[in-house]
Amino acid sequence: MDVSKLLRKSIIDYAVNLLVDKQIECNGTIPSCFYSNVLDSLATHQIVIQRNALQQRVNRERAKRSSAKRSTTLTPNPIAPTAQVVFTQTSTPSTASTLTAISYIRGSASAATSNDNAFPTATANDISPSPTSNNGTTRKKGGRPKGTGAVQRKEDNDRYKKCLNEITKAYVAELAINKVLNTSKIGILRKIIAEKKTEFNITKDISENTIQSRAKRHMKDPATHKLESNHPGITSPLAVVELAVLESILQRQKSRQPMTKTEVIKMMNDAIKGTCHEDEFRRVKSERVADALDVDVVER
């Protein structure tokens, strides 16, 4: 090869490498003035090259470097080990041929020497994942403990109310039998409470005074005070209409037309006007408010 051509190629390669290093340093962007300075320097050595041709050489050299870097990077093993296995050596060997035994910290393995072709391998029974964390303490699962959610709490409350109702029924029936036979049993209520708590799997304390008060009120006025206490207070006379009004409110909300409190009250008044629900509502309200007939059907 001609010496002048070899010298020309060496100078151009040096310039290209210089531009690639500058491109890496500038995060992929080379200042325009830097290209101009390199082209001027090449022109002083009587090397004329177009700017586009020099940029193509720079791009090819950058691609070669990236490909070489990827090929030399070690690919990690996608399958992670199930547990860490530590090998210990029973004696201090002077050479590799005097290795006498190898054993596992967990599991067992046969001895292997330099003359053996097989190396002791661990089986699935020899290796087990450690239940401890890095600091040696037992790992704790996060999140809410089981049985403490809203659904579980509702089920527990319903079961507790049902247990109270069953205890009250059993106690009233026992009092009626004692009244007919003119007898009394000591500790009968305590026994009933213990049996029903076991039956319904209740852990809360149930006061005997609560059951006795319920039974006393029921025996005094059975029509007013029922044995089963499902909810406090009376049932709303507009319970059926409230469901329809609530459905309308939700539909308006989905349509991005939320209703104000005044609009809801007006809707309820229009819904019950001239119906039997209006008469029932007025009757209930007249029992609680003296001047109920002088106001609107539904107030704020």
Side-chain angles (χ1 to χ4, degrees), residues 72-83:
T72 56
T73 303
L74 295 177
T75 303
N77 188 4
I79 303 177
T82 56

